[in-house]
Amino acid sequence: MTEATEPRPRLRREPQQARSRARVEAILGAADRILSQEGYEALTTRRIAEAAGVPVGSIYQFYPDKGAVVDALGRRYLEGFATAIDGLVERALAGELTDLVGTMVDIYSELFRSQPGGMALWAGRHLSPELARADEASNALVAEGLLRIVEHLTGGPGGERARRATRMVVWAANAVLHEAFKGEGEPDLETVDELRRMLDRYWEDLRDRLTAEHG
């Protein structure tokens, strides 16, 4: 393997003690702040250590290099998306999801808002091959969750039509939300509103067609 494609471990070792776990949290939190406030180019192990208030050697106890810190942070961002879709599926199956599009856009907008470091990372596409694959897997997981919701709400299997539609929703929502939240300062909430309107229309059409097929 070349250096560019060789997988990097997320951690040299898992933190077992509370003190070690707190140090890892401090390292990742510092990396997030640097990414969001100063950009990827400012992210060095020395700068991370300074912002986290730990010795540089403490970082190397857990992460072999800066790239491994970025990968661990990126995977943490993606875990938030997986948790969100699990919650949406649970609410849908329990009959508690009365506004699919509005709820989905609100939840994922808040994730984008709360992860400024992630936005800086993805905007610059400073992703290792492993993190890029994890990003693709995360999108597929969200689309699969949406498919389950759509099939539940329309009363039957959606087939390839629904599978394609849910993938398209994830691609479109990702692109628009990245655009709306990519800049400094306040996000472009009017663009988020337009996304909601666009997906509302798409969902209405898809629901009508699938319901008619199941009729």
Side-chain angles (χ1 to χ4, degrees):
M1 291 184 182
T2 66
E3 183 177 350
T5 59
E6 185 175 355
R8 288 189 293 263
R10 291 178 62 194
L11 288 172
R12 285 187 186 275
R13 63 182 179 88
E14 292 287 340
Q16 301 298 325
Q17 298 180 344
R19 182 178 179 182
S20 295
R21 290 194 295 270
R23 183 157 289 184
V24 167
E25 288 298 318
I27 290 168
L28 294 180
D32 179 77
R33 291 192 300 275
I34 294 166
L35 278 170
S36 62
Q37 297 171 10
E38 303 174 39
Y40 183 84
E41 290 70 20
L43 195 70
T44 65
T45 51
R46 186 170 298 279
R47 182 72 186 90
I48 294 169
E50 176 186 321
V54 302
V56 173
S58 293
I59 296 178
Y60 292 119
Q61 287 180 5
F62 301 102
Y63 300 103
D65 53 29
K66 177 184 79 171
V69 176
V70 171
D71 278 6
L73 191 59
R75 289 175 184 276
R76 174 169 293 192
Y77 297 141
L78 296 177
E79 286 168 4
F81 289 88
T83 299
I85 193 61
D86 286 345
L88 281 172
V89 171
E90 184 177 336
R91 291 173 64 181
L93 297 183
E96 300 172 356
L97 192 60
T98 57
D99 180 7
L100 171 58
V101 170
T103 304
M104 180 187 70
V105 171
D106 287 346
I107 287 174
Y108 282 95
S109 293
E110 182 54 34
L111 278 171
F112 274 72
R113 184 198 298 273
S114 65
Q115 298 179 347
M119 295 307 96
L121 181 61
W122 261 263
R125 302 304 296 180
H126 299 294
L127 308 181
S128 69
E130 293 73 37
L131 189 53
R133 286 194 291 270
D135 185 28
E136 293 178 2
S138 175
N139 288 340
L141 183 67
V142 173
E144 189 64 28
L146 282 178
L147 178 63
R148 290 184 61 193
I149 294 173
V150 166
E151 291 180 337
H152 176 74
L153 295 178
T154 58
E160 185 54 32
R161 183 197 299 275
R163 190 172 298 277
R164 182 184 301 110
T166 51
R167 290 198 303 264
M168 289 177 62
V169 166
V170 172
W171 296 335
N174 254 336
V176 173
L177 290 175
H178 274 292
E179 187 68 24
F181 286 88
K182 73 176 182 180
E184 297 180 0
E186 290 300 311
D188 184 357
L189 297 182
E190 290 186 4
T191 293
V192 176
D193 286 340
E194 288 301 306
L195 172 65
R196 188 179 289 107
R197 292 182 61 214
M198 180 180 73
L199 294 182
D200 260 330
R201 297 290 181 87
Y202 190 59
W203 165 231
E204 288 175 6
D205 178 68
L206 178 66
R207 180 180 56 200
D208 290 346
R209 286 188 291 167
L210 292 178
T211 302
E213 289 176 4
H214 299 149

Short mmCIF file of all heavy atoms in Angstrom, two decimals, residues 167-191:
data_model
loop_
_atom_site.label_atom_id
_atom_site.label_comp_id
_atom_site.label_asym_id
_atom_site.label_seq_id
_atom_site.Cartn_x
_atom_site.Cartn_y
_atom_site.Cartn_z
N ARG A 167 -31.98 7.61 -1.38
CA ARG A 167 -30.58 7.97 -1.64
C ARG A 167 -30.49 9.40 -2.16
O ARG A 167 -29.60 10.17 -1.75
CB ARG A 167 -29.96 7.00 -2.65
CG ARG A 167 -29.71 5.59 -2.13
CD ARG A 167 -28.71 4.85 -3.02
NE ARG A 167 -29.15 4.78 -4.40
CZ ARG A 167 -29.78 3.75 -4.94
NH1 ARG A 167 -30.08 2.69 -4.22
NH2 ARG A 167 -30.13 3.76 -6.22
N MET A 168 -31.40 9.76 -3.06
CA MET A 168 -31.38 11.11 -3.62
C MET A 168 -31.65 12.16 -2.55
O MET A 168 -31.06 13.24 -2.56
CB MET A 168 -32.40 11.22 -4.76
CG MET A 168 -31.99 10.46 -6.00
SD MET A 168 -33.24 10.53 -7.32
CE MET A 168 -33.28 12.30 -7.65
N VAL A 169 -32.55 11.85 -1.62
CA VAL A 169 -32.84 12.79 -0.53
C VAL A 169 -31.58 13.03 0.30
O VAL A 169 -31.26 14.18 0.66
CB VAL A 169 -33.99 12.26 0.35
CG1 VAL A 169 -34.06 13.04 1.67
CG2 VAL A 169 -35.32 12.37 -0.39
N VAL A 170 -30.86 11.97 0.61
CA VAL A 170 -29.63 12.11 1.41
C VAL A 170 -28.60 12.93 0.65
O VAL A 170 -27.98 13.84 1.20
CB VAL A 170 -29.07 10.73 1.78
CG1 VAL A 170 -27.68 10.87 2.44
CG2 VAL A 170 -30.02 10.01 2.72
N TRP A 171 -28.41 12.64 -0.63
CA TRP A 171 -27.43 13.39 -1.43
C TRP A 171 -27.81 14.87 -1.49
O TRP A 171 -26.95 15.74 -1.30
CB TRP A 171 -27.35 12.83 -2.85
CG TRP A 171 -26.85 11.42 -2.93
CD1 TRP A 171 -26.04 10.77 -2.03
CD2 TRP A 171 -27.14 10.48 -3.97
NE1 TRP A 171 -25.81 9.48 -2.44
CE2 TRP A 171 -26.46 9.27 -3.62
CE3 TRP A 171 -27.87 10.52 -5.15
CZ2 TRP A 171 -26.52 8.14 -4.43
CZ3 TRP A 171 -27.93 9.38 -5.95
CH2 TRP A 171 -27.26 8.21 -5.59
N ALA A 172 -29.07 15.14 -1.78
CA ALA A 172 -29.52 16.53 -1.92
C ALA A 172 -29.43 17.28 -0.59
O ALA A 172 -28.94 18.41 -0.54
CB ALA A 172 -30.96 16.58 -2.45
N ALA A 173 -29.91 16.65 0.47
CA ALA A 173 -29.89 17.32 1.78
C ALA A 173 -28.46 17.58 2.23
O ALA A 173 -28.15 18.66 2.75
CB ALA A 173 -30.63 16.47 2.81
N ASN A 174 -27.57 16.61 2.02
CA ASN A 174 -26.17 16.80 2.38
C ASN A 174 -25.56 17.99 1.66
O ASN A 174 -24.90 18.84 2.26
CB ASN A 174 -25.37 15.54 2.06
CG ASN A 174 -25.00 14.74 3.28
OD1 ASN A 174 -24.93 15.27 4.39
ND2 ASN A 174 -24.76 13.47 3.10
N ALA A 175 -25.77 18.05 0.36
CA ALA A 175 -25.18 19.12 -0.44
C ALA A 175 -25.71 20.49 -0.01
O ALA A 175 -24.94 21.45 0.15
CB ALA A 175 -25.47 18.88 -1.92
N VAL A 176 -27.01 20.58 0.18
CA VAL A 176 -27.61 21.88 0.53
C VAL A 176 -27.21 22.31 1.94
O VAL A 176 -26.88 23.47 2.18
CB VAL A 176 -29.14 21.82 0.39
CG1 VAL A 176 -29.77 23.11 0.91
CG2 VAL A 176 -29.53 21.61 -1.07
N LEU A 177 -27.23 21.39 2.89
CA LEU A 177 -26.87 21.74 4.26
C LEU A 177 -25.39 22.11 4.37
O LEU A 177 -25.04 23.03 5.12
CB LEU A 177 -27.23 20.61 5.22
CG LEU A 177 -28.73 20.39 5.43
CD1 LEU A 177 -28.98 19.16 6.30
CD2 LEU A 177 -29.38 21.62 6.05
N HIS A 178 -24.53 21.43 3.64
CA HIS A 178 -23.12 21.83 3.63
C HIS A 178 -22.98 23.26 3.11
O HIS A 178 -22.18 24.05 3.63
CB HIS A 178 -22.31 20.87 2.75
CG HIS A 178 -21.83 19.65 3.47
ND1 HIS A 178 -20.89 19.70 4.47
CD2 HIS A 178 -22.18 18.35 3.34
CE1 HIS A 178 -20.66 18.49 4.92
NE2 HIS A 178 -21.43 17.65 4.27
N GLU A 179 -23.75 23.58 2.10
CA GLU A 179 -23.70 24.94 1.54
C GLU A 179 -24.24 25.96 2.54
O GLU A 179 -23.66 27.04 2.72
CB GLU A 179 -24.51 24.99 0.24
CG GLU A 179 -24.40 26.28 -0.53
CD GLU A 179 -23.02 26.50 -1.12
OE1 GLU A 179 -22.30 25.50 -1.34
OE2 GLU A 179 -22.66 27.66 -1.36
N ALA A 180 -25.33 25.63 3.21
CA ALA A 180 -25.97 26.57 4.12
C ALA A 180 -25.14 26.84 5.37
O ALA A 180 -25.22 27.92 5.95
CB ALA A 180 -27.35 26.05 4.51
N PHE A 181 -24.36 25.85 5.79
CA PHE A 181 -23.62 25.97 7.05
C PHE A 181 -22.11 26.13 6.86
O PHE A 181 -21.37 26.09 7.84
CB PHE A 181 -23.89 24.74 7.93
CG PHE A 181 -25.27 24.74 8.53
CD1 PHE A 181 -26.33 24.19 7.84
CD2 PHE A 181 -25.49 25.30 9.78
CE1 PHE A 181 -27.61 24.19 8.39
CE2 PHE A 181 -26.77 25.30 10.34
CZ PHE A 181 -27.83 24.75 9.64
N LYS A 182 -21.65 26.33 5.63
CA LYS A 182 -20.21 26.31 5.38
C LYS A 182 -19.50 27.58 5.79
O LYS A 182 -18.31 27.58 6.10
CB LYS A 182 -19.93 26.03 3.91
CG LYS A 182 -20.24 27.20 2.99
CD LYS A 182 -19.86 26.88 1.55
CE LYS A 182 -20.12 28.07 0.62
NZ LYS A 182 -19.74 27.76 -0.77
N GLY A 183 -20.19 28.71 5.83
CA GLY A 183 -19.53 29.98 6.09
C GLY A 183 -19.41 30.29 7.57
O GLY A 183 -19.93 29.59 8.43
N GLU A 184 -18.68 31.36 7.84
CA GLU A 184 -18.58 31.84 9.21
C GLU A 184 -19.82 32.63 9.56
O GLU A 184 -20.53 33.13 8.69
CB GLU A 184 -17.33 32.72 9.36
CG GLU A 184 -16.03 31.98 9.10
CD GLU A 184 -14.82 32.87 9.26
OE1 GLU A 184 -15.00 34.07 9.58
OE2 GLU A 184 -13.70 32.38 9.06
N GLY A 185 -20.09 32.77 10.84
CA GLY A 185 -21.25 33.52 11.27
C GLY A 185 -22.53 32.71 11.18
O GLY A 185 -22.52 31.48 11.27
N GLU A 186 -23.63 33.40 10.97
CA GLU A 186 -24.93 32.75 10.96
C GLU A 186 -25.12 31.91 9.70
O GLU A 186 -24.72 32.33 8.61
CB GLU A 186 -26.05 33.79 11.06
CG GLU A 186 -26.14 34.47 12.42
CD GLU A 186 -26.42 33.48 13.52
OE1 GLU A 186 -27.35 32.66 13.37
OE2 GLU A 186 -25.69 33.50 14.53
N PRO A 187 -25.73 30.74 9.83
CA PRO A 187 -26.00 29.91 8.65
C PRO A 187 -27.08 30.53 7.79
O PRO A 187 -27.83 31.41 8.23
CB PRO A 187 -26.47 28.58 9.25
CG PRO A 187 -27.04 28.96 10.58
CD PRO A 187 -26.20 30.10 11.08
N ASP A 188 -27.16 30.07 6.57
CA ASP A 188 -28.15 30.56 5.61
C ASP A 188 -29.46 29.81 5.84
O ASP A 188 -29.74 28.80 5.18
CB ASP A 188 -27.63 30.35 4.19
CG ASP A 188 -28.56 30.92 3.14
OD1 ASP A 188 -29.63 31.42 3.50
OD2 ASP A 188 -28.19 30.84 1.94
N LEU A 189 -30.28 30.31 6.76
CA LEU A 189 -31.50 29.61 7.13
C LEU A 189 -32.57 29.68 6.03
O LEU A 189 -33.44 28.82 5.97
CB LEU A 189 -32.05 30.18 8.44
CG LEU A 189 -31.14 30.00 9.66
CD1 LEU A 189 -31.81 30.55 10.91
CD2 LEU A 189 -30.78 28.52 9.85
N GLU A 190 -32.50 30.69 5.18
CA GLU A 190 -33.46 30.76 4.07
C GLU A 190 -33.22 29.59 3.11
O GLU A 190 -34.17 29.03 2.56
CB GLU A 190 -33.34 32.09 3.34
CG GLU A 190 -33.85 33.28 4.16
CD GLU A 190 -33.84 34.56 3.37
OE1 GLU A 190 -33.51 34.52 2.15
OE2 GLU A 190 -34.16 35.61 3.95
N THR A 191 -31.97 29.23 2.91
CA THR A 191 -31.66 28.08 2.07
C THR A 191 -32.17 26.80 2.72
O THR A 191 -32.68 25.90 2.03
CB THR A 191 -30.14 27.98 1.83
OG1 THR A 191 -29.73 29.11 1.04
CG2 THR A 191 -29.78 26.71 1.10
#
